[in-house]
Amino acid sequence: KNQVEQSPQSLIILEGKNCTLQCNYTVSPFSNLRWYKQDTGRGPVSLTIMTFSENTKSNGRYTATLDADTKQSSLHITASQLSDSASYICVVSLYSNDYKLSFGAGTTVTVRA
Amino acid sequence: NAGVTQTPKFQVLKTGQSMTLQCAQDMNHEYMSWYRQDPGMGLRLIHYSVGAGITDQGEVPNGYNVSRSTTEDFPLRLLSAAPSQTSVYFCASSIGQGGGYTFGSGTRLTVV
């Protein structure tokens, strides 16, 4: 069973609107939670990295939140742009080994004009 | 530009053939790893290395071999290709624990 579940699987939003992606994980204890953006045909690119003690981390129009008690994270995209169309992947690493990463299957976001 | 370079970008193999996927980074990162990405699934770790001369297995190592003779290079060898190895392969590097990962642009492999 995957230790990182993301929802929704896909979503479509209009340019300029906001959206929130969800990540539930069972990896415990964990050391870091990362969000990546993956454009079609490209490798993932890092958006945010949070340790287990952090609650929020921003990168421009991207804001990630973390609730370690409920084992949930979210990625909020503000004022979406066409270039935000991509897959967004949640990644959690083991506390004992930050090299062993568990990847979610991703949420595919499509931004339409 | 600094980063992770993977070659080839595309490859078609016949069942039973062997090949090596190349990965090189110029950021002096100690940690390097190989992943495969299949439709509807998250990336899965194949092998990783925490430094030259040190490698270890990940989640799905069967059918793959690695070595790390230099800090810069981390090739992935398919010993005898099988259709189940049809996938997109990504190489990644990191400065170390807690750091960000830089991914290559991927190799799309089809085994017929």
Side-chain angles (χ1 to χ4, degrees):
Chain A
K1 181 174 170 22
N2 197 1
Q3 298 184 79
V4 181
E5 299 286 348
Q6 293 187 241
S7 61
Q9 187 173 5
S10 63
L11 65 92
I12 300 172
I13 58 174
L14 292 176
E15 187 178 16
K17 299 297 185 182
N18 304 335
C19 68
T20 300
L21 316 179
Q22 299 293 339
C23 173
N24 294 338
Y25 61 91
T26 59
V27 178
S28 183
F30 77 96
S31 60
N32 294 289
L33 188 144
R34 299 170 168 90
W35 281 94
Y36 282 86
K37 177 186 180 187
Q38 184 176 22
D39 293 316
T40 301
R42 308 293 296 272
V45 174
S46 181
L47 292 176
T48 62
I49 303 173
M50 288 185 291
T51 67
F52 63 90
S53 61
E54 294 181 286
N55 298 121
T56 186
K57 185 68 70 76
S58 291
N59 178 359
R61 294 180 296 100
Y62 301 101
T63 299
T65 63
L66 173 63
D67 185 335
D69 292 332
T70 61
K71 295 186 172 59
Q72 294 180 325
S73 176
S74 63
L75 181 70
H76 187 74
I77 304 175
T78 303
S80 60
Q81 300 177 358
L82 297 178
S83 59
D84 291 332
S85 294
S87 178
Y88 292 85
I89 303 171
C90 176
V91 186
V92 183
S93 59
L94 291 174
Y95 181 80
S96 59
N97 187 342
D98 190 48
Y99 298 128
K100 293 203 170 181
L101 308 179
S102 291
F103 287 76
T107 293
T108 300
V109 174
T110 302
V111 181
R112 291 191 174 160
Chain B
N1 291 336
V4 178
T5 302
Q6 289 185 236
T7 56
K9 292 190 183 301
F10 301 94
Q11 183 71 49
V12 178
L13 286 180
K14 293 183 179 179
T15 298
Q17 286 184 319
S18 63
M19 79 159 294
T20 299
L21 279 62
Q22 301 292 343
C23 176
Q25 54 92 7
D26 57 3
M27 297 170 285
N28 203 32
H29 285 173
E30 289 295 324
Y31 176 76
M32 296 184 74
S33 53
W34 277 101
Y35 296 87
R36 60 178 289 172
Q37 186 174 37
D38 299 298
M41 300 178 67
L43 276 76
R44 291 181 292 169
L45 180 64
I46 303 172
H47 286 285
Y48 68 100
S49 168
V50 297
I54 306 170
T55 63
D56 203 351
Q57 296 181 351
E59 183 184 354
V60 287
N62 292 341
Y64 308 95
N65 220 349
V66 292
S67 60
R68 183 96 178 271
S69 57
T70 67
T71 299
E72 294 78 20
D73 301 298
F74 191 44
L76 178 72
R77 283 182 287 277
L78 278 70
L79 309 174
S80 177
S84 60
Q85 293 179 304
T86 293
S87 187
V88 181
Y89 292 84
F90 288 99
C91 179
S93 73
S94 172
I95 195 166
Q97 300 231 29
Y101 285 76
T102 300
F103 284 82
S105 57
T107 294
R108 184 173 294 276
L109 175 69
T110 302
V111 183
V112 298

